[in-house]
Amino acid sequence: MSSLFQDIPEAPADPILGLNQQFLADNAPNKINLGVGAYRTEEGKPLILNCIKKAEEIVDNSGKFNHEYLPIDGPTEFCNASQRVLFGDTVDSHGKKFVTVQALSGTGALRVGMEFIKKFFPQGTTVYISDPTWPNHRNICNAVGLAWKSYRYYSRESNGLDFKGLMEDIKGAPDRSIILLHVCAHNPTGMDPTPSQWNEIADLLHQKNHVPFFDCAYQGFASGDLDKDAEPLKMFVRRGFECLVAQSFAKNFGLYGERIGTLTVVSSSEAVTKPVRSQLKGIIRANYSSPPGHGAYVTQVVLTTPALLEEWKVELKGMAGRIHDMREKLSKALEERGINWPHVMQQIGMFSYTGLNPKQVEVLIQKHHIYLTADGRISLAGLSTKTVPVLADAIQDALRQSNM
C-alpha cells in the first residue's frame, strides 16, 4: 500500500550525534568515544556536579518550586543570574539595555535569535560563520531561511588561527552583516583570538557597522575562570556594540539533557527593550510555548546561593584542569612517538583540532575503534590517563599508513 510519505528521502545522519550512534553500535570492548563534546570523568563516566545535587535537593524540598508553566521568557531571577555570570560587571553599567530570555540551551537561543534577525533585519541580511564551525550553526540558518557565508578562521597548513583571512573576509562582507563569533574555546578548533586580535576584530566590526552574534557554549572551559573566558564579550559591550548572545549551561553545569540556556539582546537604548522582549516572546510562543522548569530552577539556585556558586566555580575549574591535563598528556605521548604537534598545546578548551584528514580518521574508527568527527576534532574530555597512549598509538598508525 502506498503512503503519503513514500517519496520523503532519508536525511543524512548528524555528523556528531550520528557518530555517537555508530559508537554505541560498536561491540568492541575497548572502544573510545571522542566525538561528542560532553565532559567525562577519569573513569569515562558522566559527572553530576556536587553543587547540582545540592541544588536539586533544594528544588525538590524547599516548597518554593513546582511544575507549573514558566513565563514564556523564563523566570526573571534565573535570567538575571544568568546575565551576571555572562556579562559580569557590565550588568551594572549596561544591564538596563539587556533583554534576556530563557532558551532551550545554546541551540534554542541561536534559533530564536536567528528567527528574530530574519523577521526584523533587512531582507538579504547574511550571517557570516567561521570556517570551520559547529555544524548546527549552518543548519539553524538554513532552517530559518537566512543566507549564510563562511569567513576564514583556521589554517590547516599552520594549524593555527588564520587571522589575516578572517579580517579580510569580515572586511569584504556587506555593511551591517551578522558576524557569528565564538566567545571562547572555539568549536571545533580550540584556537581563540588573542586579546589584541579581539580588539582589532571589534574595530573592524565597528568600521563596517556589522552586528556580532556571540555563541557562548564553553564559558569556564577555556581557562577555568568564568570572568576571563567572557572577557571578549564584555569588551564589546563596554565599547557600546549592539549584539545578540546565545548562552548555554549544558557544558559548564553538566546539564546536557535539561536544555538550559539564554538569549540576550544587547541594545544601545533602554527604550527598545520592551518591544524587543515582546517579539522574542512571540517567537518562543510559536516554537515551544514556554521553557522547561527543572533545569532552570536548579541553575537559578546555584547562581543565587553564594556557597553553591563558589562550589560550582571550584568544580568547573577542576573540570577545565582535567581537560588541560589530558591535553598535556596527549602532547607528551605524541612527542614520545616522534609526532611534533605544537598546536595541541596552543589550542584551549574541550577540543583539539588534530589536523587528521578524513582518511586518517577512518583508520582510527575502523581499525582502532576510536570515534572522532571526520574533520579530525577530538573531545579531550573523553580521554583518560589510560586511553591517552592508546590514542597516540592509533594516531601514529594512521599517519604511518597515510605515508605508505
Side-chain angles (χ1 to χ4, degrees), residues 69-80:
Y69 288 122
L70 295 188
I72 294 173
D73 49 353
T76 300
E77 193 172 0
F78 163 78
C79 291
N80 289 344

Side-chain angles (χ1 to χ4, degrees), residues 126-134 137-138 141 147-154 165-166 168-174 178-180:
T126 299
V127 180
Y128 281 77
I129 300 171
S130 68
D131 180 21
T133 193
W134 181 51
H137 286 148
R138 297 185 291 268
C141 286
W148 63 268
K149 293 183 179 179
S150 296
Y151 62 85
R152 284 170 285 175
Y153 189 85
Y154 190 82
L166 178 155
E168 288 176 352
D169 289 349
I170 292 177
K171 185 176 182 179
I178 309 296
I179 310 298
L180 188 60

Side-chain angles (χ1 to χ4, degrees), residues 326 329-330 333 337 383-393:
M326 291 302 103
K329 282 182 165 61
L330 176 61
R337 290 157 177 78
L383 281 174
S384 68
T385 303
K386 180 180 178 181
T387 58
V388 163
V390 178
L391 173 62
D393 286 340

Side-chain angles (χ1 to χ4, degrees), residues 187-215:
N187 179 10
T189 70
M191 190 67 69
D192 290 355
T194 65
S196 63
Q197 288 172 332
W198 272 118
N199 273 294
E200 289 186 57
I201 292 169
D203 289 341
L204 181 56
L205 264 64
H206 176 72
Q207 174 190 331
K208 294 287 294 181
N209 207 24
H210 290 326
V211 180
F213 193 149
F214 290 97
D215 186 359

Side-chain angles (χ1 to χ4, degrees), residues 201-387:
I201 292 169
D203 289 341
L204 181 56
L205 264 64
H206 176 72
Q207 174 190 331
K208 294 287 294 181
N209 207 24
H210 290 326
V211 180
F213 193 149
F214 290 97
D215 186 359
C216 187
Y218 298 96
Q219 186 183 2
F221 275 112
S223 68
D225 185 313
L226 290 163
D227 290 327
K228 183 178 179 181
D229 285 359
E231 189 54 40
L233 169 63
K234 290 183 284 187
M235 178 268 290
F236 274 80
V237 173
R238 293 187 191 106
R239 291 185 56 165
F241 276 85
E242 296 188 292
C243 59
L244 292 87
V245 189
Q247 175 187 30
S248 170
F249 288 118
K251 307 294 192 299
N252 53 19
F253 267 110
L255 293 174
Y256 306 99
E258 299 290 348
R259 313 312 295 142
I260 304 302
T262 69
L263 172 70
T264 296
V265 176
V266 178
S267 70
S268 61
S269 170
E270 188 178 344
V272 306
T273 58
K274 187 175 181 180
V276 167
R277 182 176 296 278
S278 71
Q279 293 295 342
L280 293 175
K281 288 169 71 174
I283 293 169
I284 292 169
R285 176 65 168 155
N287 273 281
Y288 51 86
S289 195
S290 65
H294 179 76
Y297 290 143
V298 170
T299 305
Q300 175 183 311
V301 167
V302 174
L303 297 181
T304 57
T305 306
L308 293 182
L309 177 60
E310 288 307 309
E311 185 170 8
W312 175 50
K313 291 178 180 178
V314 171
E315 291 188 277
L316 181 56
K317 192 169 186 177
M319 288 192 288
R322 197 190 87 76
I323 291 171
H324 185 72
D325 185 48
M326 291 302 103
R327 187 181 294 280
E328 288 184 330
K329 282 182 165 61
L330 176 61
S331 178
K332 183 178 179 181
L334 291 171
E335 287 177 4
E336 290 171 349
R337 290 157 177 78
I339 302 169
N340 182 27
W341 279 3
H343 58 279
V344 171
M345 289 306 301
Q346 292 164 1
Q347 297 163 357
I348 57 175
M350 185 175 281
F351 301 112
S352 178
Y353 207 54
T354 61
L356 293 171
N357 62 42
K359 287 186 177 180
Q360 293 164 338
V361 168
E362 277 302 300
V363 172
L364 265 69
I365 294 174
Q366 299 299 330
K367 182 176 179 182
H368 298 279
H369 305 277
I370 298 174
Y371 288 79
L372 64 160
T373 55
D375 58 5
R377 187 198 79 170
I378 62 170
S379 173
L380 293 163
L383 281 174
S384 68
T385 303
K386 180 180 178 181
T387 58

